[in-house]
Amino acid sequence: MLLRIGLLAGLLVGLGACESDVEFEGEQTAPQLVMNAVVTANSSPKVYLSESRFFLDDETEYTDIKDASVSLYVDGVFVEELVLVEEKDIYGNLLGSCYYKGSELLRSGSLVEFRASCERLGAQAKGSTTIPAVPVVEDMRVSCRLNESNYVEGIVQLPLNDPKEQTNYYWLSAGLFTSYSGEGFRTPVKYVDKVFMGGRMSDVLDDILGETPIDGTHVFFSDEYFYGYRSLLWMEFLMHPEYVPYSEVWCELYQIDQHLFRYLLSVEMAEEGTSFGEPVQIYSNVEGGMGLVGSRAVGTKQSISCSELINLPDKKE
């Protein structure tokens, strides 16, 4: 036994002595432009530009580009040069981040293209999207009941009418907002309808859109199961009855373009992958660089006070 232990220890020491760092001898790729923009119908555009990183770099943060020019084209016609905006905190201090902003209000059905160039990097990139139509959504329906455990069970239904002309893609965010004891917090709903795919995407979407992250869930889905028909999107929630007078149910539904849908799908697949699976290539539609240029159109933003939905009986004994 002692002989075996001695041989094993010697083997481990020998293998450890063989360890060495291997220098990368390949050619380091020059930085590319990383362009991210999600255009919202009836809004002016924002474009975020940064430099790509070499995959062996120690730095994990992307560097925003402040010395680029970004042009907006609509339906193939030049419209304007976007203006650099450096982001600040509530006290007016620069945060170090920036974006390029335009003043043109962009409409559904328009082909929007951004062309960016940075002389310092010797790089150019462009990306385009066709803004989808505003989805046809009816009023949200919410019903509640008190279950055997004295908790409020709720069902949320959102009627959506899908057009037949082409495959359509949607993005939905829904949940409960409660303002209680001077604090506000959000609780996600449970997406139970079979049409839903994807999962918690809030960090990804908010990073792309440049908006303040919110707690909740976002799901994206296509009209695969209800192409050209009316669908009743189904969600559920559970809530303590004490919060009913201080809570509301809210939802936001957008129609998104195929580029944003494919990007979200690739990110979801990458996050669900394992170390033993094939790596997933994150979708990009930016020529000459990388990133995403997508678009969306707001279908509805609704909220209903929970106190209007249910009159709770006295607590069951």
Side-chain angles (χ1 to χ4, degrees):
M1 177 64 72
L2 291 176
L3 178 60
R4 290 182 180 178
I5 295 175
L7 289 174
L8 179 59
L11 179 61
L12 292 175
V13 172
L15 290 174
C18 294
E19 183 179 332
S20 61
D21 295 329
V22 178
E23 296 265 346
F24 178 76
E25 297 181 355
E27 183 178 350
Q28 183 165 336
T29 306
Q32 291 183 305
L33 293 180
V34 180
M35 178 191 296
N36 283 312
V38 174
V39 178
T40 301
N42 302 317
S43 299
S44 55
K46 281 184 180 181
V47 176
Y48 292 83
L49 280 182
S50 58
E51 297 181 27
S52 65
R53 294 183 290 103
F54 187 55
F55 74 101
L56 290 178
D57 283 350
D58 294 330
E59 293 291 331
T60 58
E61 297 294 329
Y62 287 90
T63 303
D64 286 350
I65 296 176
K66 301 180 180 180
D67 56 349
S69 62
V70 182
S71 303
L72 167 65
Y73 290 76
V74 178
D75 296 328
V77 178
F78 172 77
V79 174
E80 62 177 339
E81 289 286 337
L82 275 61
V83 178
L84 175 69
V85 177
E86 298 195 59
E87 296 185 296
K88 300 178 180 180
D89 61 19
I90 58 175
Y91 304 105
N93 301 313
L94 292 175
L95 297 175
S97 55
C98 65
Y99 59 87
Y100 293 80
K101 182 174 177 58
S103 58
E104 182 76 5
L105 293 181
L106 302 172
R107 309 295 183 185
S108 291
S110 298
L111 173 61
V112 176
E113 181 179 68
F114 299 108
R115 301 179 187 178
S117 62
C118 179
E119 186 175 350
R120 171 177 55 85
L121 297 177
Q124 297 181 342
K126 65 179 181 179
S128 62
T129 176
T130 299
I131 303 176
V134 175
V136 181
V137 186
E138 300 172 26
D139 290 341
M140 175 175 60
R141 305 171 184 177
V142 183
S143 58
C144 302
R145 74 178 186 90
L146 199 64
N147 66 16
E148 295 298 324
S149 301
N150 289 309
Y151 271 77
V152 176
E153 291 180 348
I155 295 175
V156 182
Q157 295 174 310
L158 187 65
L160 170 64
N161 294 286
D162 186 67
K164 293 183 178 180
E165 290 78 12
Q166 60 185 15
T167 300
N168 298 294
Y169 307 96
Y170 301 96
W171 173 72
L172 174 66
S173 178
L176 295 168
F177 179 75
T178 303
S179 180
Y180 186 75
S181 298
E183 296 184 2
F185 57 91
R186 295 181 186 265
T187 306
V189 297
K190 180 180 179 182
Y191 298 94
V192 296
D193 201 298
K194 68 177 182 179
V195 307
F196 297 130
M197 59 180 297
R200 185 178 180 84
M201 301 295 298
S202 58
D203 293 341
V204 174
L205 288 171
D206 292 324
D207 285 345
I208 297 172
L209 300 176
E211 298 174 353
T212 303
I214 62 173
D215 295 327
T217 55
H218 303 224
V219 292
F220 58 98
F221 55 98
S222 71
D223 59 2
E224 176 183 2
Y225 292 103
F226 59 98
Y227 177 77
Y229 292 94
R230 180 178 181 271
S231 177
L232 202 60
L233 306 180
W234 187 289
M235 297 153 277
E236 297 177 353
F237 65 86
L238 190 67
M239 178 175 52
H240 193 284
E242 184 178 2
Y243 295 148
V244 168
Y246 313 99
S247 301
E248 64 179 17
V249 182
W250 58 272
C251 76
E252 297 179 8
L253 179 78
Y254 298 84
Q255 184 163 326
I256 61 178
D257 76 329
Q258 64 169 326
H259 299 303
L260 180 52
F261 178 83
R262 293 177 65 182
Y263 175 85
L264 294 174
L265 186 60
S266 67
V267 171
E268 183 74 7
M269 293 173 63
E271 290 184 346
E272 290 180 348
T274 66
S275 57
F276 301 102
E278 291 290 330
V280 176
Q281 180 69 42
I282 301 300
Y283 177 79
S284 171
N285 67 329
V286 174
E287 298 178 29
M290 60 187 70
L292 168 74
V293 175
S295 55
R296 63 180 185 172
V298 182
T300 186
K301 291 185 178 183
Q302 301 182 35
S303 63
I304 298 177
S305 173
C306 292
S307 59
E308 299 176 3
L309 301 172
I310 184 170
N311 294 317
L312 293 175
D314 293 335
K315 184 175 180 181
K316 297 178 182 179
E317 298 298 336

